[in-house]
Amino acid sequence: MNRTHDPLQTIRWLTYMMFFMFAMTSDAVGMIIPELIEEFNLSMTQASAFHYAPMALIAFSGLFLGFLADSFGRKQTIMLGLGIFTICCFLFAVSSSFSIFVVLLSCIGLAIGLFKTGALALLGDISKNNLEHTKTMNLVEGFFGVGAIVGPALVSFLITQQVSWTYLYVIAGVLCLILTLIAWRADYPKPKKLEEHAKPASLATTMSMMKNPYALGFSLAIALYVATEVAIYVWMPTLLGDYSGPWQLLATYALTLFFILRAAGRFLAVWLLNHFSWQAAMLYLSLGIALCYLGLIFGGVDWAVFLLPLSGLFMSMIYPTLNSKGISCFAVQQHGAVAGVILFFTAFSAAAGPLLMGVISDYFGHIRYGFYLATGFACILFLAMLYNYLRNPAEQALAQHSALSH
């Protein structure tokens, strides 16, 4: 890499690849859960621990350790997270118990919370203003989207070759080890100058943000979105598992198609933001998601084969844009803390949503009943984005911190 041409190039690619690696493991869970149910004779509620356990630890890490990116340093926090992630991934190769797998995934969740808040805070250091921040965030999440395609595809390949799905984590561990070495050698930008009267970041900073209307508002909107998204990549393979209609091939690759459309939409988001306001984009995209879910309710599994993968295109831009706008409502030296708060709500929703769907589905006897709950989340998200479009409540805060590099 030519650092004289772009000294931040290494940092950017490191950030992209961290999100790629994170997605490889987290978004492959939907493909692994059916294997776990068969291998360990689990209920849907028990098997969902493979998803909600790491998400719960990501939530804990984001809330209670997110401030470390501001006080301990971006590089140190990222290195610590990557190191823990690497060790836990390699331990999958010598483990065979479901409970041990859940413990390892919980530690991985803690690690993700560390390096993800560090990476999100770092975006503020390399962005000139909040529009560039939003575009970069969408690009970063685009690489996450690519990882979400590679991970499930790799699990499918391993299963067809009669190879254990645990090798997904071994492969991720090798990639993470390489990223750890790159992070260690990379030249990080100097932190932005603190605003006048700014207090040093601490756990108290994060706790105070839990009461901030901008941090709380964006976090709740993101939580609604996440509940609708994880419903698909955790439970759609189970929903379509007994599909017997004429579109068998589409049902087989529905999750892959969902991730492809989500990734494609994120790379198109930069174009979209150049032509439309982010408020309008959020409104129309959330409407598209709600309609896809309502179609599932009225059309059943036959419609779900088409509509649930299609929803990925509408979902593509919502999370990175809301995440960026929520972070951009604050001064740069607070980005680690607010990223931690948002990550807490993100991970809590990602843990609680699929768990509740599993409980409801076990109670009523079919996973489609869990998707009724997800439909409710999608409709509430649309109402929230309608309010955001009509009232634009974050306008003043975004304008105040528009020049991130001041």
Side-chain angles (χ1 to χ4, degrees), residues 5 13 64 94 103-104 118 127 218 246 271 287 322 373 390 401:
H5 175 67
W13 277 102
F64 293 102
V94 294
V103 170
L104 289 176
S127 301
F218 277 102
W271 175 87
L287 175 60
L322 291 179
L373 176 65
L390 296 175
H401 299 289

Side-chain angles (χ1 to χ4, degrees), residues 243-266:
Y243 174 76
S244 57
W247 302 97
Q248 289 286 346
L249 187 63
L250 180 58
T252 302
Y253 293 99
L255 187 60
T256 300
L257 180 58
F258 168 79
F259 286 135
I260 289 173
L261 291 174
R262 191 182 67 171
R266 282 176 175 169

